[in-house]
Amino acid sequence: MRSTLLPLAAFCIAITQRAADAGCTLTASGGDDAPQFLNAAQTCDTVVIPAGETLDIQTRLNMTGLSNKNFNIQGTVRFNPDIDYWTGNAFFIPFQTQVTFWLLGGENIVMNGGGTLDGAGQAWYDAFASNSSLLRPIIMTVFQAENVLVENIRMINSPEWHNLVNEGQNIVYSNITIHAESTSDNFIANTDGWNVYRSDNVTIKDSNIVNGDDCVAFKPNATNVLVSNLDCSGSHGISVGSLGQFPGMFDIVRNVTAINVRMSNAQNGARIKAWAGPNVGSGIVQNITFENFIVDDVDNPVVIDQCYMTDADACAEFPSNTFIQDIFFKNISGTSSGATVASLACSPDGRCSDINVDGLEGLSAGSGKRAFKCQNVELQGESADLFPECTDTSND
Ligand SMILES: *[C@@H]1O[C@H](CO)[C@@H](O)[C@H](O)[C@H]1NC(C)=O
Ligand SMILES: *[C@@H]1O[C@H](CO)[C@@H](O)[C@H](O)[C@H]1NC(C)=O
Ligand SMILES: *[C@@H]1O[C@H](CO)[C@@H](O)[C@H](O)[C@H]1NC(C)=O
Ligand SMILES: *[C@@H]1O[C@H](CO)[C@@H](O)[C@H](O)[C@H]1NC(C)=O
Ligand SMILES: *[C@@H]1O[C@H](CO)[C@@H](O)[C@H](O)[C@H]1NC(C)=O
Ligand SMILES: *[C@@H]1O[C@H](CO)[C@@H](O)[C@H](O)[C@H]1NC(C)=O
Ligand SMILES: *[C@@H]1O[C@H](CO)[C@@H](O)[C@H](O)[C@H]1NC(C)=O
Ligand SMILES: *[C@@H]1O[C@H](CO)[C@@H](O)[C@H](O)[C@H]1NC(C)=O
């Protein structure tokens, strides 16, 4: 493939100003490669970064409004960790006060090639350890995009989240390898694999993630999302939420399936979290299925926390206004790290309904006596009997 594209590349350099139908091959300039990458994204249908090349991105990448592009990344795109530059220059994303190196948007975009997006996170992990208000950029934000396929790509050491899908439709990630690792004592904090926000019809499949926070998180207004065949290690799990955090906002997460997931050395397996307490928002979580999970050394394999960040008294006084319904935990097996294997804690006053548990008998405790915990919820399904607190009608 390279050999046929190389002649095109030379041709492309001559015609980039007037034609948009040729492949363009980029090689490292020795300085900031952002300008040539941006220019190629505007003017070439196919942008090739050959194997062995590393583009050094020193300034932000606004690639919004593209159409019919193929990014064939065989080499590496590395984001220079000049913290002084990125502070104030990374694109700001109001939701949860995020920033990003790269906005990629438009329609009919394919990114593939087997190459690497390198967040060069170590400098960020170290800086964040002494400055917890440092805003650390997301590597790639798919923003206002439709029909995007990202496949066969490695992402390493993002300073913070690796991916955000923000206002996207028909977005697919396939065969993505994510690996965040610190070489110092400072943790790889908040290095989520994916966050899906205000987006519909998103698939994340056949991928391998080693990170330090959520493997995949479904944030407000994520609908029709499929997660399948993931291997997540070191993470905080596959999470819906946290939702209902911001007063005046209404958060919806509907029609999500997470199936065939291996979760190891993690805080959670399958999780739903929603805020309660005074001065929070509201919302609905509906029709969520977590199916065929195998856990290994996971603190809490099955979780609903509808009193997220709220103590029991405040949660009793101000139950969550984010309602949770039609939830299916199916065929989840393996070993937790401690005694708890499931914890389904809802706010009082019927804020959870139609919570189904099936095929949870294969969960075992890593230590102590295995505990299936729950509160303020009536469970349905074949495994409901495993939860003594919630099958006893005197609980009402
Ligand atoms: C990105 O570029 C588009 C098109 O040129 C522009 O409209 C938009 O304001 C830019 N976005 C940011 C955040 O700078
Ligand atoms: C910490 O990071 C914030 C946000 O980037 C910045 O404004 C502030 O100056 C930094 N503080 C120190 C002590 O470096
Ligand atoms: C997955 O992507 C990697 C590059 O990250 C590539 O080497 C591998 O061949 C891909 N696997 C499949 C099945 O395409
Ligand atoms: C969802 O996205 C996929 C992949 O882009 C596409 O094939 C499918 O038609 C979309 N479904 C709907 C209902 O739009
Ligand atoms: C989610 O969608 C609903 C219905 O369209 C809308 O009212 C709400 O503001 C959206 N919430 C967010 C956080 O975008
Ligand atoms: C959820 O899926 C059902 C069945 O496919 C569909 O009718 C409904 O519109 C979907 N809900 C949302 C919010 O997309
Ligand atoms: C629930 O969501 C799944 C996708 O995750 C969809 O296939 C199914 O039709 C939805 N069910 C209902 C009743 O909306
Ligand atoms: C349960 O999940 C495991 C692990 O994904 C899978 O191998 C097995 O076939 C599933 N069992 C059923 C009955 O679907």
Side-chain angles (χ1 to χ4, degrees), residues 260-295:
N260 301 338
V261 174
R262 287 191 76 89
M263 183 69 67
S264 43
N265 179 29
Q267 283 185 2
N268 308 282
R271 170 165 72 157
I272 298 175
K273 50 181 176 170
W275 290 67
N279 304 317
V280 296
S282 58
I284 182 154
V285 178
Q286 186 175 27
N287 185 27
I288 314 296
T289 300
F290 298 100
E291 187 170 359
N292 301 352
F293 275 52
I294 297 180
V295 302

Side-chain angles (χ1 to χ4, degrees), residues 200 223-224 252 254-255 287:
D200 184 59
T223 51
N224 302 303
I252 298 171
R254 272 205 174 107
N255 293 2
N287 185 27

Side-chain angles (χ1 to χ4, degrees), residues 253-257 272 284-290 304 323-329 351-357 380:
V253 174
R254 272 205 174 107
N255 293 2
V256 170
T257 297
I272 298 175
I284 182 154
V285 178
Q286 186 175 27
N287 185 27
I288 314 296
T289 300
F290 298 100
I304 292 177
F323 286 73
I324 299 177
Q325 60 194 67
D326 306 327
I327 309 300
F328 302 85
F329 293 102
R351 305 295 161 115
C352 285
S353 54
D354 274 301
I355 311 296
N356 299 272
V357 287
Q380 301 176 14

Side-chain angles (χ1 to χ4, degrees), residues 243-244 273-277 280-283 305-308 310 314-324 346-351:
L243 297 181
K273 50 181 176 170
W275 290 67
V280 296
S282 58
D305 182 358
Q306 206 184 20
C307 296
Y308 186 62
T310 316
C315 196
E317 193 180 351
F318 304 100
S320 180
N321 284 315
T322 301
F323 286 73
I324 299 177
C346 293
S347 282
D349 295 343
R351 305 295 161 115

